[in-house]
Amino acid sequence: RQLTTESKHLSKKIKKVTMPVNDVLASPIYMKVIVLFVVLVGLAGGCMSIAGPLVGLMLNPNDLTAANFKQVERFGLRAAIYFDCDKVDSAFGQNMVDQMVDSMSSPDDPILNDSDSRTSTTDTFERLCNDRKASHVYIAVTSGTFTLVGMFVFIACGIMKKFEPEFVYLIPLVLSFLMIYDFVETNSSMFAYIKRCTEVAHYEDSKSMKLKNVIVWGPYPNSTFGRYGVIEYGNACDYEREQALEKYGRDSDTVNGQVVYREPPGYVLPRYPARGGCRPDLADDIILCTKFYKCGNGKDDEKCKDINIKENGIPEGGDDETDDAINDLGDGLLIWLIGAIFNVVANGLMLSLLVIRKKHAIYHDFIDTDKAVDSI
């Protein structure tokens, strides 16, 4: 009887607390689908935010082709941020680094010229290269990591049927906006110039403008190579065909004071008529080509007259060449940007869904264990 009395007395001291339960599995099916989709977007965005800068800012300078060398060189020291400064094991890669060093150094300025005899100009270049990219990588990786942490916290809290704190979404959301600002500030100029130079710009009206990004890398005078642009579909660089000769004029020589028109082959690159459909002055000398047409570079290479500029923008098998460095740069910057956008969307929606889930939460009674222990 005494034990029963003490139990009744103890039960009066134990306090019950009503708390919301985060039972995601008990929510409507549409809510489950939305939450699953947003979590997947967050996981993808976090991974892409980490992978993008690691790909786009760690290019191998030895993979850069001659077709893009002058264009990258034009960016000067700004281009150094995109390359792995330690991966220079070819004369071509070293030449690119030397050009950037020259743009950084000034013989008239002892500070810019690195007057400290303990370090070389190349050492300074490598330090600046690594230091310049460090902040951008840190912002992107931190934003991606916090987004991944927020998604995993949601999963863990869902298993324990508790609501996650709001800051797990607020922090990566702020970092993601900072990441987008940093991307636009750093990469917008470079990103805008990256093109696939074998594709036709279908969004343009005139044919000449549709072909504005098409680049043919072919022989120049004095045994050099350079860019040719086109304003014709088909074999734009073929001046050997009879109809081409008639259209652009036959190549002529003066013999004994008389003009003599030679029979085909007539014009052959690097010779071209002033109004021909394939000329250096038609080439865009600023854009960076991930893919471009290539011709006249040896016995096994495609002849320039056989390059077929198709209206659908898809080249034939051996006509095009890929610049691995610019291709990786374009992929890395695109992944970087998409990752930042995914992070903003995922964290913003998860924060909104958290408010909605709390509003419609099911409340259960829980025993306040601290008060129960004190009573015992």
Side-chain angles (χ1 to χ4, degrees), residues 16-48:
K16 291 183 179 181
V17 180
T18 302
M19 295 180 62
V21 178
N22 180 27
D23 194 353
V24 179
L25 297 178
S27 59
I29 184 65
Y30 69 87
M31 182 62 72
K32 296 177 185 176
V33 173
I34 294 175
V35 170
L36 177 61
F37 173 76
V38 175
V39 170
L40 292 177
V41 170
L43 293 175
C47 294
M48 294 170 79

Side-chain angles (χ1 to χ4, degrees), residues 341-372:
I341 295 174
F342 276 17
N343 288 352
V344 171
V345 172
N347 288 295
L349 288 178
M350 288 300 288
L351 195 59
S352 301
L353 290 173
L354 177 60
V355 175
I356 295 173
R357 286 186 287 117
K358 283 184 176 181
K359 184 177 179 180
H360 298 281
I362 301 173
Y363 285 80
H364 285 178
D365 292 334
F366 293 91
I367 296 176
D368 191 337
T369 54
D370 293 335
K371 290 185 177 298

